[in-house]
Amino acid sequence: MSDCLFCKIIAGDIPSKQVYEDDHLVVFHDIAPKAPTHVLVVPRKHIATLNDADNSDHDLFGHIALTIPKIAKQLGLTDGYRTVLNTDKGGGQEVFHIHFHILGGGPMPFA
Ligand code: AMP
Ligand code: ZN
């Protein structure tokens, strides 16, 4: 998606503070953090919203769920964290390339 902000970040065309990457995911700090630690877990595959995922993404979502704890540990979120997935305008989604927020490192609640 040539006009997608997160596709451009994944391609390296827009800078980000990356903390993790693998064959399927890129993770970088949110530019406007809502918690002391706030990163975005972004699949390399462009999927606009959760409503646009399909059965071919089954393994990807399993991989995300199993990788988030590793990223949280790497970031030092030893006492827990919040994971958020906003879906479409009514869910507060602003960037239409699916991403999970990981928020932690301070007193709750976070956005
Ligand atoms: P959402 O509302 O779930 O779509 O979240 C989009 C998030 O992307 C917001 O928390 C923004 O602060 C964040 N964001 C927007 N532009 C950038 C950027 N260039 N680099 C990192 N995070 C960004
Ligand atoms: Zn994209």
Side-chain angles (χ1 to χ4, degrees), residues 1 4-8 10 44-47 96-97:
M1 289 282 168
C4 170
L5 173 63
F6 285 176
C7 281
K8 288 176 183 168
I10 291 164
R44 292 185 184 276
K45 178 180 178 182
H46 181 92
I47 303 169
F96 283 76
H97 179 135

Side-chain angles (χ1 to χ4, degrees), residues 5-6 9 14-16 28-32 34 38 40 86 92-96 99 101:
L5 173 63
F6 285 176
I9 288 176
I14 292 176
S16 70
F28 50 85
H29 284 279
D30 196 292
I31 202 166
K34 281 74 171 182
H38 183 180
L40 304 174
N86 297 323
Q93 187 174 359
E94 295 174 357
V95 177
F96 283 76
H99 53 280
H101 300 249

Side-chain angles (χ1 to χ4, degrees):
M1 289 282 168
S2 58
D3 60 345
C4 170
L5 173 63
F6 285 176
C7 281
K8 288 176 183 168
I9 288 176
I10 291 164
D13 295 338
I14 292 176
S16 70
K17 289 166 64 179
Q18 191 172 300
V19 297
Y20 174 89
E21 69 172 329
D22 64 26
D23 287 349
H24 305 287
L25 305 176
V26 174
V27 181
F28 50 85
H29 284 279
D30 196 292
I31 202 166
K34 281 74 171 182
T37 298
H38 183 180
V39 300
L40 304 174
V41 181
V42 186
R44 292 185 184 276
K45 178 180 178 182
H46 181 92
I47 303 169
T49 82
L50 185 60
N51 293 332
D52 300 298
D54 61 32
N55 284 340
S56 72
D57 302 311
H58 189 273
D59 288 353
L60 173 62
F61 282 93
H63 179 67
I64 292 170
L66 294 172
T67 304
I68 284 173
K70 298 176 186 171
I71 297 162
K73 186 176 180 185
Q74 177 188 322
L75 294 171
L77 300 174
T78 51
D79 64 346
Y81 51 90
R82 175 167 288 185
T83 309
V84 174
L85 170 61
N86 297 323
T87 299
D88 218 334
K89 287 193 169 61
Q93 187 174 359
E94 295 174 357
V95 177
F96 283 76
H97 179 135
I98 201 168
H99 53 280
F100 288 74
H101 300 249
I102 301 176
L103 302 123
M108 295 289 281
F110 307 126

